[in-house]
Structure formats: structure tokens, C-alpha cells
Amino acid sequence: PHTWDRDSQTLAYTLQLPDQSVWQVEIRPAADGSQQLSAEIDGGTLDLSAERSAAIESRLRWMLRLDEDLTPFYNLCDLHIPLAHAAGRGAGRLLRSATLWENFGRVLMTTNTTWLLTKRMVANLVDRWGAAHLSHAEWHAFPTPQTIAGLSEDDLKSAGLGYRAGYLLHNARQIADGTLDLEVLQHSDLSDKDLRAALLKLRGVGDYAANTLVMLLGRYSFVPVDTEARAAVSKAFFNGEKVTDKQVKETLAAYAPYSALALYCLNPDG
């Protein structure tokens, strides 16, 4: 439920708070030219309660990784030419969704498919079942686990999810009935290995999805290897020659414990 306007450098995102209210937030560089960000909620037309304002700020800080100290990563990048640009660009704050549930749903939609179909599946979920803004019906948040739990597998398959429908539904129902607390993993003190193991217990999550979710949680030890990863490592380190998954992992091991983050910072224009 977001759009990116490259010309104005504005990210628009629709989120739903625990009190079920839905808000549209526009994030852009501050007008004074500083390195600050400006966040405008619902066009700046409403006065928010302190509680809602704090809840929205907390979610935005999480989404943009504003509290993540990347200094050790930048120090490491300075020693390696392929990533020498990272510190100067402030690279590495990978955008993530407001909740781990939404990140999980999105990652599930990337498995065994094309990016075009991934975007279509997510758009269908948001448009059909995401809660709408009170005043602007075109603004929809990502559907909650409780909403998905009330659907059938056939409902979800009608949105083009295919086999992913059953996985999304199973995990949503576990969250809805209290069997699974997914959000507690956002700030877990588990080791990277144990956190990955916990994610692998989710139905539908294999190695690639688990590695991606661990990365989205701010742990970068495990590299989510796919076609794009192989292409990036091939271009940066092997003069475009074909590389194996093992070569990708071994090459990026030089950046441990930031191996996955290094992968996504290889392209200086990305």
C-alpha cells in the first residue's frame, strides 16, 4: 500500500494502527535541505492525538530503520572497493513494512514467481481486503491477520495467490487465535541462527524466505540468494561470469556479519 514519486522523492504509505484507524503518510526530504525527513499525515489536515502520533512515528522509524547504527558496516565497506560508495550515499537502510506480518505476506508473494506477479498478488490483497481510509476510499492498508483469517483458501486463490493462499491463511489464523505471536520477533534478542530457525517454523517459509525475513529484521548474516543476487555478485566480483549460490555466499562472507546488507548495496545507482 505505497507509492514512490521519484521526482519529488516522496514515499506515500497507508498504514493501520492497532486501534484499527487507517492513515496516509507522505515522507519526503525536509524543505530546508538538511538530512532530516518530513512526514505529513493525511495531508496535514488533522490534529492527531499524542498516542496516535507516537504510534505512527514508531512505525515510520521501524520502516526506515532510523534507529539502526550502520557505522560498523560503513567501516567495513571502506575496505572493499565494490562497496566504497555505501557510506557516502548513506546506503543500507532497506525499506521494510510497518509490521512483520506485512513483511511476511509480501515475502511469501515473492516465492517461485516473477516480480510482476508478486506486485499483482500484493495489490489484490490490499485492494480487496485492506481496510480503507475513513475519508479516502482509495487508500487501503495491508490486510490484518484477523481479516485474512476470516477468508477461505478459495477466496485467496481468487486473488491469484495460488499455493501461497494456504500458507498465508494458516499463519493468519494462528496469529488471530493467539497461537502465534509474530510481532514479538521484531525486537527479539534471539541469535541470528535461532531467529532464522523460528521463522523457518512458519508454514510456507523456506531458506530464501527465512533469509529475507531475517534481513528485514535487521540481521544480515544470511544471504537470500536468488537470480538478482547471483547477477549482482557476478557483475561486481566475477566480470559478469556465471556464479553459483556457493560462490555468492562465500564472496559476501567477507562482509560478515553484514553479508546480506552488502548484497543490496552493491549497485551504486540502486
Side-chain angles (χ1 to χ4, degrees), residues 58-269:
S58 176
R59 279 159 176 73
L60 294 182
R61 297 190 72 87
W62 161 261
M63 289 170 59
L64 300 171
R65 302 175 189 256
L66 297 184
D67 298 318
E68 205 166 313
D69 181 8
L70 296 180
T71 303
F73 172 62
Y74 293 145
N75 292 339
L76 190 60
C77 289
D78 287 342
L79 304 175
H80 297 80
I81 292 176
L83 284 171
H85 62 276
R89 292 184 63 240
R93 299 192 187 280
L94 304 179
L95 179 67
R96 55 191 171 191
S97 300
T99 64
L100 184 53
W101 157 254
E102 184 174 338
N103 280 310
F104 161 73
R106 288 176 176 275
V107 170
L108 182 61
M109 298 307 121
T110 70
T111 57
N112 300 313
T113 189
T114 65
W115 184 239
L116 177 63
L117 291 178
T118 289
K119 292 195 294 183
R120 185 177 301 168
M121 285 185 281
V122 173
N124 285 341
L125 284 171
V126 171
D127 293 342
R128 295 189 188 190
W129 298 298
H133 188 279
L134 186 62
S135 303
H136 299 274
E138 70 275 16
W139 294 343
H140 289 248
F142 193 84
T144 64
Q146 291 74 22
T147 296
I148 296 298
L151 303 174
S152 70
E153 189 169 340
D154 286 341
D155 289 332
L156 293 170
K157 285 184 175 179
S158 74
L161 271 60
Y163 73 89
R164 302 164 198 81
Y167 295 147
L168 187 69
L169 184 60
H170 173 83
N171 289 291
R173 287 178 173 171
Q174 283 208 318
I175 294 171
D177 68 17
T179 305
L180 172 65
D181 185 355
L182 197 57
E183 302 309 319
V184 72
L185 296 179
Q186 276 198 7
H187 305 289
S188 170
D189 59 0
L190 290 173
S191 68
D192 292 7
K193 182 178 180 181
D194 288 343
L195 182 59
R196 182 177 183 273
L199 291 165
L200 280 169
K201 293 179 181 178
L202 298 175
R203 188 168 295 184
V205 172
D207 288 340
Y208 167 78
N211 291 354
T212 302
L213 288 168
V214 168
M215 179 187 67
L216 289 171
L217 286 168
R219 313 289 189 90
Y220 306 108
S221 300
F222 303 101
V223 178
V225 181
D226 61 2
T227 302
E228 295 298 324
R230 288 188 287 271
V233 170
S234 170
K235 180 179 179 181
F237 298 98
F238 293 89
N239 296 316
E241 296 181 7
K242 186 177 181 179
V243 297
T244 64
D245 290 4
K246 181 180 180 181
Q247 286 175 303
V248 170
K249 293 176 182 178
E250 289 178 346
T251 300
L252 294 173
Y255 301 94
Y258 298 99
S259 300
L261 192 58
L263 168 64
Y264 282 90
C265 292
L266 282 177
N267 181 5
D269 300 317

